[in-house]
Amino acid sequence: MRIAVIGAGLMGADHAKIVAEDLPGTRLQVICDMDATRARSVADATGAADVANDPEGVIARADVDAVIVASPDFTHAPLSLAAIRAGKPVLCEKPLSQSSAECLGVMEAEIAAGRRFVQLGFMRRYDQSYVEMRRALAEGRIGRALMMHNFHRNVETPAADFTGAMAITNSAPHEFDVVRHVLGCEYASIAAWQPRRSDARVAPVVMVLETTDGQIVNIEINNNAAYGYDVRAELVGEGGSIAMNPVAYTRMDQAMAQSTGYDADWRSRYAEAYRRQNRAFLRFAETGVFPEIGSSAWDGYAAAVVAETGVRALTSGQKQPVQMMQKPEFYK
Amino acid sequence: MRIAVIGAGLMGADHAKIVAEDLPGTRLQVICDMDATRARSVADATGAADVANDPEGVIARADVDAVIVASPDFTHAPLSLAAIRAGKPVLCEKPLSQSSAECLGVMEAEIAAGRRFVQLGFMRRYDQSYVEMRRALAEGRIGRALMMHNFHRNVETPAADFTGAMAITNSAPHEFDVVRHVLGCEYASIAAWQPRRSDARVAPVVMVLETTDGQIVNIEINNNAAYGYDVRAELVGEGGSIAMNPVAYTRMDQAMAQSTGYDADWRSRYAEAYRRQNRAFLRFAETGVFPEIGSSAWDGYAAAVVAETGVRALTSGQKQPVQMMQKPEFYK
Amino acid sequence: MRIAVIGAGLMGADHAKIVAEDLPGTRLQVICDMDATRARSVADATGAADVANDPEGVIARADVDAVIVASPDFTHAPLSLAAIRAGKPVLCEKPLSQSSAECLGVMEAEIAAGRRFVQLGFMRRYDQSYVEMRRALAEGRIGRALMMHNFHRNVETPAADFTGAMAITNSAPHEFDVVRHVLGCEYASIAAWQPRRSDARVAPVVMVLETTDGQIVNIEINNNAAYGYDVRAELVGEGGSIAMNPVAYTRMDQAMAQSTGYDADWRSRYAEAYRRQNRAFLRFAETGVFPEIGSSAWDGYAAAVVAETGVRALTSGQKQPVQMMQKPEFYK
Amino acid sequence: MRIAVIGAGLMGADHAKIVAEDLPGTRLQVICDMDATRARSVADATGAADVANDPEGVIARADVDAVIVASPDFTHAPLSLAAIRAGKPVLCEKPLSQSSAECLGVMEAEIAAGRRFVQLGFMRRYDQSYVEMRRALAEGRIGRALMMHNFHRNVETPAADFTGAMAITNSAPHEFDVVRHVLGCEYASIAAWQPRRSDARVAPVVMVLETTDGQIVNIEINNNAAYGYDVRAELVGEGGSIAMNPVAYTRMDQAMAQSTGYDADWRSRYAEAYRRQNRAFLRFAETGVFPEIGSSAWDGYAAAVVAETGVRALTSGQKQPVQMMQKPEFYK
């Protein structure tokens, strides 16, 4: 299986590294980036066979069997469409698009092609904590799901002009997707708040969503939490509760305190989830069978719709209904 | 200091026991209850000097210096008024009244009397966890407060016909009060949701409140949580976060799991908070100086207003503004 | 019940405070100390009726019903004997004596007097963690006891010339006593080690003891642990294990770590255990019935014998048999 | 890099799986086992190119570049010698031999060959917890090491006739090795105890070791701990302490308790350590540079000597000196 990685930034370099170091049976064929130096640097670090700067050309190459798209967000949908046209499986980093309409276009192309090509990079579905939460629910260990509480905290925003709307469209989709995935239903409404900060940085966004099955979902996105990269989740059922447990391999006793460390960012926290996701993508590319817990174009559409609605909820200060199309047979 | 306890139910018996066993310098003078057998039973258990069945008469007795009111909720305001008339300090169990108008009446009487008489039984203010959270905020250890997340879970509701509105008026006031106390401001709005349960039991109530200082507050009241009595709180600041830590004196390794136990109800969880509160009340009764962190009639009014508004929010499905009177000079 | 406190140092002041603030039904009659200023200061802080500087005279006073001894260690046995002679219950701080022979003298006096007078201040027996461990064992929840692992860590030694032998005779007796208490048997042998430190401070002492019931007991005494006051214990049974859980009321998220605080010393850690112990002593003084889990003169003797043997084990580098007299009927 | 796996039991199957699924750049060339069915089954599951039943023949094959030995313990040293003779790198499961004399033979062969061939399967060195403990020590974060406390607990022994001596020779070597590795020194003495059990199962073994640098090391091996597979370690320094933290991805709230699960055995607990170790072996095989934290034949010898001495300590009931040869230049 010869793989092309489109985009040689942080995410692309990580994907190339996973292919090179963790996916026996694959060949890292091309690293493609507008910036030739960057492409070369990643290729050298991973032993990729070739570099390029023309994504659509790369996708069409005869010596490329599957594609990983990790280029800027606005290219995700067009390059997914190119992969569908080329008849090649694509693992596309999230979001598929911030526009639900553009997601619809990808779905239509896939449906027209008659088979699945697009797997989205909502890697949290492969994180062991969510896997165990979903399993506990399926096995009836906590009874029917009632609520899910979710917290997403970064040390600080990359950009100074990050806004609450961007917290909803850029950071929250991971939460939107994994909660849908764990609960197995869609959203019916969303409301959003922001506390006031004393400085110009973006304040946290607090959201409450209703699902189509009558559950209540809390999501906090705190992009300037200062203290660490910290993702939490609790799934509350009628008979008990299951929560993500922080993973730390050691604890320190020092200076009148016992402490465990936080991750600096998502890369160490989700390293294993990315590996599992990419292995699932490899099997998908080999067999054509879409991964049981993989994210599809439909999931990309769902995340886009709720994010768009969330922005309106934040702007208006009013709870908004989430209005989605019917799920096509093709994605069931 | 000769103390009368009005009400010999679960709460009254606990208060009598605290006076008898933990408050040197006091004399448990009268246990008063409509049910003479119950009054006698508590008096015998605690060595109280006398029993009675006439609360207003007891409050007026010359050999009673201070009063603890733990009789049914609807008697709280009338008996507090009686204590004010008698010029005696009263520790009144929460709520002062579920009607904010009735709370106003108590405030007016107290203001007219020219001094404080009423301390409310919002004992959580004395719980070590909240004490530490409030102190961390005051000391600037987490920066400015942005959010507070609060969870209140009981094993099950006492009554089968408990409703979501009752969750807001009966259980949530502890949260309403202690959050106001920790944050040091009032509420500006409240919104409320309930997930659907598969049975007839009352579903959890999820609330989001805005404060007058621009913080966002989450409160979950889950009266049928099944698994244990579990209260959680996290105070999130701009520079860090401080959370209530579960207290367990031992942990067990057994049957492929490590576990710590939950309390069965509030009595073991808050035993020390009640003791501290009642000691503070004793000092108040002795000195006339209202306890620094005690709950006043104003705090009872504030809790009643937000609960009334919360019920409207739940019923209407819409966020509601919390409309309070200006805080009287007297309570500043 | 009129109580005299002998010794107005740190421990005596704490005992006086507990009597004054936590033991309704008692009167703090005398604070006795060689240093009149110190006695007066404690008396003023606690509202004690009188001060004195003659311990034996105080014990004999007609207006003193019970005695708490918190004066220097070498006075414990003589003053306990004085209390026995005066026919008054005495709560004597540990150790009864560092000499097992002197402990024997107290036992003989008590046996001759025909009733119990001496309760020792091994307050850990009243600590909730050990209470739960002992109960779990009694209820068969972990099967037969096999091992107990114990760790006692202080921030630093009070004196620069503290030695390993002193760690065994001064700090370890708390461990020796509470382990005997939890396991319900005596020691058969003891071995001891010390690692090398890079400075002149006393190094930790590591001990392994065998019990008469065939259990193995580890005890680490680390008087210069630097990081906090930290006591740990784990009781391992054939069917599971129960361990002391650290108690912290809050946890902090800050600077890339989550942390909980340690106590600075034993006073906050064991405040509730002291209160419970002293209440038990009060009931003993009132009723003459020795507390079910109280430490007796026999327990003081047992702790002294094992400490003496432990010092020999450390000095010789060889495991030593613990040789105790048969337990007198009187103490069964 | 063409790899042969000798032994198709539990360990061999796991090694073959790691080669097939986690080591890009390798080819799983032969699965060798006395039992042809077993070899075939593992080969089929992992896509191995060939099967065989003659280990020495396999090691000599021209199409085999490196060898993983996971056959019965008594074959480890002979097959390691065969690999040395064939000039091929070998990852040999622990123990190299239970006889220190036989380990010496392997060392001599390797020294005679003039380069390293043997890496031992003490995979714990690659476990993240120990990596962090070792790093904290190297970075001076806890000061000089004073003690290390280690606990190894299995649910139950595989065989009914497992003995305390076998606990020392079969289970404890993992502890012996990783403690030496973390502390960076050798053992000077060892003492051992066993509590009495109420049944015929092997009781835990408790050991205390002194190191050549004056540290004290506790090791508990509890092969019938009943409650779970549980490995613990704490490294205590002069300035603080660092301990292994249990890893759990979720926690459950249910039936009045909060709990996290234990692993059933070492396979899930150390899956990542095995992967890291085998990647390190692959780099060793490719480059000839022995892995920085890999276990060598010398380490196998050291583990064998201390285990042999530990058995004598347990049998004699007396502390025994650990007598090792000088470390050859070759292994420095």
Side-chain angles (χ1 to χ4, degrees):
Chain A
M1 188 65 49
R2 295 160 300 179
I3 296 180
V5 173
I6 316 288
L10 207 61
M11 291 300 312
D14 277 355
H15 277 296
K17 192 163 179 289
I18 291 171
V19 172
E21 298 182 4
D22 294 285
L23 298 188
T26 60
R27 179 177 162 88
L28 192 51
Q29 196 70 5
V30 199
I31 306 292
C32 175
D33 200 283
M34 303 293 281
D35 179 337
T37 313
R38 206 157 68 161
R40 170 50 54 205
S41 161
V42 171
D44 288 350
T46 56
D50 199 2
V51 296
N53 64 7
D54 165 24
E56 307 230 357
V58 162
I59 291 169
R61 273 168 66 155
D63 65 350
V64 164
D65 301 312
V67 181
I68 296 178
V69 172
S71 42
D73 287 8
F74 71 89
T75 67
H76 292 181
L79 295 179
S80 293
L81 287 169
I84 293 169
R85 279 194 304 273
K88 295 180 184 173
V90 56
L91 175 63
C92 179
E93 264 306 317
K94 64 107 229 175
L96 180 51
S97 167
Q98 286 188 11
S99 149
S100 60
E102 198 176 27
C103 294
L104 267 179
V106 177
M107 286 164 59
E108 282 159 11
E110 206 172 35
I111 290 170
R115 56 151 289 196
R116 301 276 195 94
F117 289 102
V118 181
Q119 182 181 349
L120 278 184
F122 283 126
M123 81 295 176
R124 289 231 200 139
R125 296 177 172 215
Y126 292 91
D127 179 69
Q128 183 63 17
S129 298
Y130 294 110
V131 167
E132 294 183 9
M133 292 167 82
R134 191 162 173 264
R135 188 193 304 146
L137 189 59
E139 291 174 351
R141 294 174 62 203
I142 57 165
R144 186 173 175 278
L146 289 172
M147 297 177 283
M148 198 162 167
H149 301 299
N150 307 274
F151 302 84
H152 176 109
R153 297 174 181 172
N154 293 85
V155 176
E156 56 184 0
T157 43
D161 56 353
F162 204 87
T163 65
M166 288 162 76
I168 297 176
T169 56
N170 294 21
S171 304
H174 275 304
E175 305 294 336
F176 294 147
D177 182 72
V178 82
V179 171
R180 285 175 66 242
H181 172 65
V182 169
L183 294 178
C185 57
E186 300 297 346
Y187 299 110
S189 76
I190 181 169
W193 292 255
Q194 277 191 292
R196 280 204 300 272
R197 278 188 71 101
S198 64
D199 57 21
R201 292 188 185 176
V202 66
V205 175
V206 171
M207 288 166 272
V208 178
L209 298 96
E210 293 168 295
T211 73
T212 51
D213 284 359
Q215 288 111 356
I216 302 299
V217 174
N218 284 95
I219 298 177
E220 175 204 305
I221 304 291
N222 187 353
N223 291 113
N224 285 300
Y227 69 81
Y229 182 78
D230 184 15
V231 172
R232 306 178 188 175
E234 185 191 18
L235 174 61
V236 184
E238 295 186 352
S241 178
I242 181 168
M244 187 179 290
N245 202 50
V247 166
Y249 294 92
T250 50
R251 58 178 183 270
M252 285 290 279
D253 285 316
Q254 211 149 41
M256 305 307 292
Q258 178 164 102
S259 65
T260 51
Y262 277 106
D263 287 282
D265 61 31
W266 80 95
R267 297 169 75 190
S268 48
R269 174 65 184 82
Y270 288 110
E272 177 66 14
Y274 278 108
R275 275 194 293 266
R276 291 180 178 185
Q277 169 192 266
N278 291 15
R279 283 169 191 271
F281 173 66
L282 175 61
R283 284 191 297 272
F284 169 41
E286 287 168 348
T287 64
V289 181
F290 197 77
E292 193 207 334
I293 63 170
S295 274
S296 66
W298 164 257
D299 298 311
Y301 164 79
V305 171
V306 67
E308 288 169 340
T309 317
V311 172
R312 284 201 303 275
L314 182 64
T315 310
S316 67
Q318 296 299 325
K319 180 165 76 173
Q320 301 288 332
V322 175
Q323 288 167 318
M324 285 175 67
M325 65 176 291
Q326 281 283 84
K327 188 172 184 175
E329 260 324 297
F330 185 83
Y331 290 105
K332 280 179 185 166
Chain B
M1 188 65 50
R2 294 160 298 178
I3 296 181
V5 173
I6 315 288
L10 208 60
M11 291 300 311
D14 277 355
H15 277 295
K17 192 163 178 292
I18 291 171
V19 172
E21 298 182 4
D22 293 286
L23 298 188
T26 59
R27 179 178 162 87
L28 191 51
Q29 196 70 5
V30 199
I31 305 293
C32 174
D33 200 283
M34 304 292 283
D35 179 336
T37 312
R38 205 157 70 160
R40 170 51 52 206
S41 161
V42 170
D44 287 350
T46 55
D50 199 2
V51 295
N53 65 7
D54 165 24
E56 307 232 355
V58 162
I59 291 169
R61 274 168 66 154
D63 64 351
V64 165
D65 302 311
V67 181
I68 296 177
V69 171
S71 41
D73 287 7
F74 70 89
T75 67
H76 291 180
L79 295 179
S80 293
L81 287 169
I84 293 168
R85 279 196 303 272
K88 295 179 184 172
V90 56
L91 175 64
C92 179
E93 264 306 316
K94 64 107 228 173
L96 179 52
S97 167
Q98 287 188 10
S99 150
S100 59
E102 198 176 26
C103 294
L104 267 179
V106 176
M107 286 164 60
E108 282 159 9
E110 207 172 34
I111 290 170
R115 56 153 288 199
R116 300 278 194 94
F117 289 102
V118 181
Q119 182 182 351
L120 277 185
F122 282 126
M123 80 294 175
R124 290 231 199 138
R125 295 176 173 216
Y126 291 92
D127 179 68
Q128 182 63 16
S129 299
Y130 293 109
V131 167
E132 293 182 10
M133 292 166 81
R134 192 164 173 262
R135 187 192 304 146
L137 189 58
E139 292 174 351
R141 294 175 60 204
I142 57 165
R144 185 173 176 278
L146 288 172
M147 297 177 281
M148 196 161 168
H149 301 300
N150 306 274
F151 302 84
H152 175 109
R153 296 174 182 171
N154 294 84
V155 176
E156 55 184 0
T157 43
D161 56 352
F162 204 87
T163 65
M166 287 162 76
I168 297 176
T169 56
N170 293 20
S171 304
H174 275 303
E175 305 294 336
F176 294 147
D177 181 71
V178 82
V179 171
R180 285 175 65 242
H181 171 66
V182 168
L183 294 178
C185 59
E186 302 296 346
Y187 298 111
S189 76
I190 181 168
W193 291 257
Q194 278 191 289
R196 280 204 299 273
R197 277 187 71 101
S198 63
D199 58 21
R201 293 188 185 175
V202 66
V205 175
V206 171
M207 287 167 272
V208 178
L209 299 96
E210 293 168 295
T211 74
T212 51
D213 284 0
Q215 288 112 355
I216 302 298
V217 174
N218 283 95
I219 298 177
E220 176 204 304
I221 304 290
N222 187 354
N223 291 113
N224 284 299
Y227 70 80
Y229 182 78
D230 183 14
V231 173
R232 305 179 189 174
E234 184 191 19
L235 175 61
V236 183
E238 294 185 354
S241 178
I242 180 167
M244 187 178 290
N245 202 48
V247 166
Y249 294 93
T250 50
R251 58 178 183 270
M252 285 289 280
D253 285 317
Q254 210 150 42
M256 304 308 293
Q258 178 165 102
S259 65
T260 52
Y262 277 107
D263 288 282
D265 60 30
W266 80 95
R267 297 171 74 191
S268 47
R269 173 66 185 81
Y270 288 110
E272 178 66 13
Y274 277 107
R275 276 194 292 267
R276 290 179 178 185
Q277 169 192 266
N278 291 13
R279 284 170 191 271
F281 173 66
L282 175 62
R283 284 191 297 273
F284 169 41
E286 286 167 349
T287 63
V289 181
F290 196 76
E292 192 207 335
I293 63 169
S295 274
S296 67
W298 165 257
D299 297 311
Y301 164 78
V305 171
V306 67
E308 287 169 341
T309 317
V311 171
R312 284 201 303 275
L314 182 65
T315 309
S316 67
Q318 296 298 325
K319 180 166 76 173
Q320 301 289 331
V322 175
Q323 289 166 318
M324 286 176 64
M325 65 175 293
Q326 281 282 84
K327 190 172 183 175
E329 262 321 300
F330 185 83
Y331 289 105
K332 281 179 183 165
Chain C
M1 187 66 50
R2 294 160 299 179
I3 295 181
V5 173
I6 316 288
L10 207 60
M11 291 300 311
D14 277 355
H15 277 296
K17 193 163 178 292
I18 291 171
V19 172
E21 297 182 4
D22 294 287
L23 298 188
T26 59
R27 179 179 163 87
L28 192 50
Q29 195 71 4
V30 198
I31 305 293
C32 175
D33 200 282
M34 303 293 281
D35 178 337
T37 313
R38 204 156 71 159
R40 169 51 53 205
S41 161
V42 170
D44 288 350
T46 56
D50 199 3
V51 296
N53 64 8
D54 165 24
E56 307 231 356
V58 161
I59 290 169
R61 273 168 66 155
D63 64 351
V64 165
D65 301 312
V67 181
I68 296 178
V69 172
S71 42
D73 287 8
F74 70 89
T75 68
H76 291 181
L79 295 180
S80 293
L81 288 169
I84 294 168
R85 279 195 304 273
K88 295 179 184 173
V90 56
L91 175 63
C92 179
E93 264 306 316
K94 63 109 230 174
L96 179 52
S97 166
Q98 287 188 12
S99 150
S100 59
E102 198 176 26
C103 294
L104 268 179
V106 177
M107 286 164 60
E108 283 160 8
E110 205 171 37
I111 291 170
R115 56 152 289 198
R116 300 279 194 91
F117 289 102
V118 182
Q119 182 181 350
L120 277 184
F122 283 126
M123 81 295 175
R124 290 232 200 139
R125 295 177 173 216
Y126 291 92
D127 179 68
Q128 183 62 16
S129 299
Y130 293 110
V131 167
E132 293 182 11
M133 292 167 81
R134 192 164 172 262
R135 188 192 303 145
L137 189 59
E139 291 174 350
R141 294 174 61 203
I142 57 165
R144 185 173 176 279
L146 288 172
M147 296 177 283
M148 197 162 168
H149 301 300
N150 307 273
F151 302 84
H152 175 109
R153 297 174 181 171
N154 294 85
V155 176
E156 55 184 359
T157 43
D161 57 351
F162 204 87
T163 65
M166 288 162 77
I168 297 176
T169 56
N170 293 21
S171 304
H174 275 304
E175 306 294 336
F176 294 147
D177 181 72
V178 81
V179 171
R180 285 176 65 242
H181 172 66
V182 168
L183 293 178
C185 59
E186 301 297 346
Y187 298 111
S189 76
I190 181 169
W193 291 256
Q194 279 192 288
R196 280 204 300 272
R197 277 187 71 102
S198 63
D199 57 21
R201 291 187 186 176
V202 66
V205 175
V206 171
M207 289 167 271
V208 178
L209 299 95
E210 294 168 295
T211 73
T212 51
D213 284 359
Q215 288 111 355
I216 302 298
V217 174
N218 283 95
I219 298 177
E220 176 205 305
I221 304 290
N222 188 352
N223 290 113
N224 285 300
Y227 70 81
Y229 181 78
D230 183 15
V231 172
R232 306 179 188 175
E234 184 191 19
L235 174 61
V236 183
E238 295 186 353
S241 179
I242 180 168
M244 187 179 290
N245 202 49
V247 166
Y249 294 93
T250 49
R251 57 177 183 270
M252 285 290 279
D253 285 317
Q254 211 150 42
M256 304 308 293
Q258 178 165 101
S259 65
T260 51
Y262 276 107
D263 287 282
D265 61 29
W266 80 95
R267 297 170 75 191
S268 47
R269 174 65 185 81
Y270 288 110
E272 177 66 13
Y274 278 108
R275 276 194 292 268
R276 290 180 178 185
Q277 169 193 267
N278 290 14
R279 283 169 191 271
F281 173 64
L282 175 62
R283 284 191 297 273
F284 169 40
E286 286 167 349
T287 64
V289 181
F290 196 76
E292 193 207 334
I293 63 169
S295 274
S296 67
W298 165 257
D299 297 311
Y301 164 79
V305 172
V306 68
E308 288 168 340
T309 317
V311 172
R312 284 201 303 275
L314 182 64
T315 309
S316 67
Q318 296 299 324
K319 180 166 76 173
Q320 299 289 331
V322 176
Q323 289 167 319
M324 285 176 64
M325 65 176 292
Q326 281 282 83
K327 188 172 184 176
E329 262 321 299
F330 185 82
Y331 290 104
K332 282 179 183 166
Chain D
M1 188 65 49
R2 295 159 299 180
I3 296 180
V5 173
I6 315 287
L10 208 59
M11 291 301 310
D14 277 356
H15 277 295
K17 194 164 177 291
I18 291 171
V19 173
E21 299 182 3
D22 294 286
L23 298 188
T26 59
R27 179 177 162 87
L28 193 51
Q29 196 70 4
V30 198
I31 306 292
C32 175
D33 200 282
M34 304 292 282
D35 179 337
T37 314
R38 204 156 70 161
R40 170 51 53 206
S41 161
V42 170
D44 287 350
T46 55
D50 199 1
V51 296
N53 64 8
D54 165 24
E56 308 230 356
V58 162
I59 291 168
R61 274 168 66 156
D63 64 351
V64 165
D65 302 312
V67 181
I68 296 178
V69 172
S71 42
D73 287 7
F74 71 89
T75 68
H76 292 181
L79 295 180
S80 294
L81 287 168
I84 294 168
R85 280 194 304 271
K88 295 180 184 172
V90 57
L91 175 64
C92 179
E93 264 306 315
K94 61 112 239 180
L96 179 52
S97 167
Q98 287 188 11
S99 150
S100 59
E102 198 176 26
C103 295
L104 268 179
V106 177
M107 287 165 60
E108 282 159 10
E110 207 172 33
I111 291 170
R115 58 152 287 196
R116 300 276 194 95
F117 290 102
V118 181
Q119 182 181 351
L120 277 185
F122 283 126
M123 81 293 175
R124 290 232 199 138
R125 295 176 173 216
Y126 292 92
D127 179 69
Q128 183 63 16
S129 299
Y130 293 110
V131 167
E132 294 183 9
M133 292 167 80
R134 191 163 172 264
R135 188 192 304 145
L137 190 59
E139 292 173 350
R141 294 175 60 204
I142 58 165
R144 185 173 176 279
L146 288 172
M147 296 177 282
M148 197 162 168
H149 301 300
N150 307 274
F151 302 83
H152 175 109
R153 297 174 181 172
N154 293 85
V155 176
E156 56 184 0
T157 42
D161 57 352
F162 204 87
T163 65
M166 288 162 75
I168 297 175
T169 56
N170 294 20
S171 304
H174 276 302
E175 306 294 336
F176 295 146
D177 181 71
V178 83
V179 170
R180 284 175 66 243
H181 172 65
V182 169
L183 294 178
C185 59
E186 300 298 345
Y187 299 110
S189 76
I190 181 169
W193 292 256
Q194 278 191 288
R196 280 204 300 273
R197 279 188 70 102
S198 63
D199 57 22
R201 292 188 185 176
V202 66
V205 175
V206 171
M207 288 167 273
V208 179
L209 299 97
E210 293 168 295
T211 73
T212 51
D213 284 359
Q215 289 111 355
I216 302 298
V217 174
N218 284 95
I219 298 177
E220 176 205 304
I221 304 291
N222 187 354
N223 290 113
N224 284 299
Y227 69 81
Y229 181 78
D230 184 15
V231 172
R232 307 179 188 175
E234 185 191 18
L235 174 61
V236 183
E238 295 186 353
S241 178
I242 180 168
M244 187 178 290
N245 203 49
V247 167
Y249 294 92
T250 50
R251 57 178 184 270
M252 285 289 280
D253 285 315
Q254 210 151 41
M256 304 307 294
Q258 179 164 102
S259 65
T260 51
Y262 277 106
D263 287 283
D265 61 30
W266 80 94
R267 297 170 74 192
S268 47
R269 173 67 184 81
Y270 288 110
E272 177 66 13
Y274 278 107
R275 275 194 292 267
R276 291 180 177 184
Q277 169 191 268
N278 291 14
R279 284 170 191 270
F281 173 66
L282 176 60
R283 284 191 296 272
F284 169 41
E286 287 168 348
T287 65
V289 181
F290 197 76
E292 192 208 335
I293 63 169
S295 273
S296 67
W298 166 258
D299 298 309
Y301 164 78
V305 171
V306 68
E308 286 168 342
T309 317
V311 171
R312 284 202 303 275
L314 182 65
T315 310
S316 67
Q318 296 298 324
K319 181 165 75 173
Q320 301 288 330
V322 175
Q323 289 167 317
M324 286 175 65
M325 64 176 293
Q326 281 281 84
K327 190 172 183 175
E329 260 324 297
F330 185 84
Y331 290 104
K332 281 179 185 167

